[in-house]
Amino acid sequence: SELQEVTAREQEIRSKTSNNPGASTAMSGGANDLASAVDSLPALLDRKKQLEVHTSILQAVMNQVASRDVPQFFELESALATGQYKSDLAKAKSEVLALLSQDSKGSIEDKLRLLVVFALTTSAKSNDIDEVTAALQDEKAVAPIMKYLKQLRSMHMLPSAADMLQEMSIQ
């Protein structure tokens, strides 16, 4: 990785500039090498610091992704959106319920997004959607959204996303 390369280059420069007798005999004709190494060291250290900051940010993001179990939500949302559960609504509902009922998985936003994807992409009946909605603990955040989605679905204004994808692939 780039961080390892920068660290190796830093160590190489530091070893050239040390008072090591072996290094001085190797550099007897390389005063220019020593000068360029010393000149490049500050830029190299800045680059190393920048890479370490980016690495720590990446690690923090990955920790959040892992703690919220985002991949599991993504896989289920993708399966729902592509119509993989079109013929087995009961299985879709049970998997959504299983994921929503686990307190340790996902944030309220993750769970609410999954609930909306379920409501938009399946032909679930209102009582199925109510049952899935009940699995969420924070009903204050869910109620207005679900009321609006149910209203749209009842007016048949909102076809499922899986149906729309299927229509698009036929054309």
Side-chain angles (χ1 to χ4, degrees):
S1 78
E2 191 174 350
L3 181 58
Q4 292 169 333
E5 291 172 21
V6 169
T7 302
R9 180 76 177 127
E10 175 193 1
Q11 290 172 349
E12 177 185 327
I13 291 170
R14 288 187 187 275
S15 69
K16 286 181 181 180
T17 59
S18 69
N19 288 333
N20 186 345
S24 62
T25 57
M27 292 202 33
S28 59
N32 289 336
D33 288 343
L34 179 60
S36 71
V38 169
D39 288 343
S40 67
L41 186 59
L44 210 63
L45 292 175
D46 285 343
R47 182 68 182 146
K48 180 181 176 186
K49 184 177 179 181
Q50 186 180 36
L51 288 169
E52 288 171 344
V53 167
H54 281 87
T55 303
S56 67
I57 291 170
L58 175 63
Q59 185 63 46
V61 168
M62 293 304 294
N63 288 342
Q64 278 295 311
V65 166
S67 70
R68 290 174 34 205
D69 211 357
V70 171
Q72 192 171 0
F73 280 88
F74 171 77
E75 288 173 12
L76 184 52
E77 290 164 5
S78 294
L80 289 167
T82 57
Q84 291 180 17
Y85 290 104
K86 190 172 185 119
S87 62
D88 195 357
L89 182 60
K91 184 176 180 186
K93 181 176 129 184
S94 70
E95 290 194 21
V96 169
L97 279 170
L99 197 53
L100 292 180
S101 63
Q102 294 181 25
D103 292 336
S104 63
K105 294 194 178 191
S107 65
I108 186 65
E109 291 85 6
D110 296 328
K111 292 178 178 187
L112 189 54
R113 185 183 61 247
L114 177 60
L115 178 60
V116 169
V117 169
F118 175 75
L120 293 176
T121 60
T122 65
S123 58
K125 300 200 181 331
S126 286
N127 60 345
D128 290 330
I129 293 173
D130 289 339
E131 187 179 340
V132 170
T133 302
L136 290 178
Q137 308 242 336
D138 190 0
E139 296 239 0
K140 291 178 184 176
V142 177
I145 294 168
M146 294 315 298
K147 180 179 177 185
Y148 180 69
L149 287 173
K150 284 182 188 179
Q151 181 182 10
L152 289 176
R153 285 173 55 109
S154 72
M155 297 183 330
H156 301 289
M157 293 178 64
L158 190 63
S160 76
D163 291 339
M164 289 190 302
L165 284 173
Q166 186 177 17
E167 287 177 22
M168 289 172 56
S169 66
I170 293 172
Q171 295 174 354

